Amino acid sequence: MRPIGIGFGNIVIDERIIGIIGPDTAPSKRLKEEAKAQHKLIDATFGRKTRALIITDSGHIVMSAINPETISQRIIGKESSNEG
């Protein structure tokens, strides 16, 4: 288990992430609204624009102000730094 920074001191454990998507498509907006209705939406943006929705294995959706590509690179960077 490795912590991944998702902005503003917030972290998600990499093994719990099943997907990272952009927030601007209709399906992602529906996913966000469903999570909100089920009290499974976590806002980690600190009032900034949402740039990524992180989907966890528990069904929680975490809103992040960091781009999906940046979060992905952080995960890949953690994996490669632990391999050597």
Side-chain angles (χ1 to χ4, degrees), residues 40-67:
K40 290 191 169 194
L41 182 66
I42 301 167
D43 186 350
T45 63
F46 280 70
R48 306 295 200 300
K49 180 180 177 183
T50 301
R51 299 188 187 279
L53 298 178
I54 302 167
I55 305 164
T56 66
D57 60 355
S58 63
H60 287 84
I61 306 295
V62 182
M63 298 166 40
S64 174
I66 308 250
N67 288 323

Side-chain angles (χ1 to χ4, degrees), residues 2 77-84:
R2 294 180 301 273
K78 293 281 185 179
E79 288 174 359
S80 63
S81 68
N82 288 333
E83 286 180 0

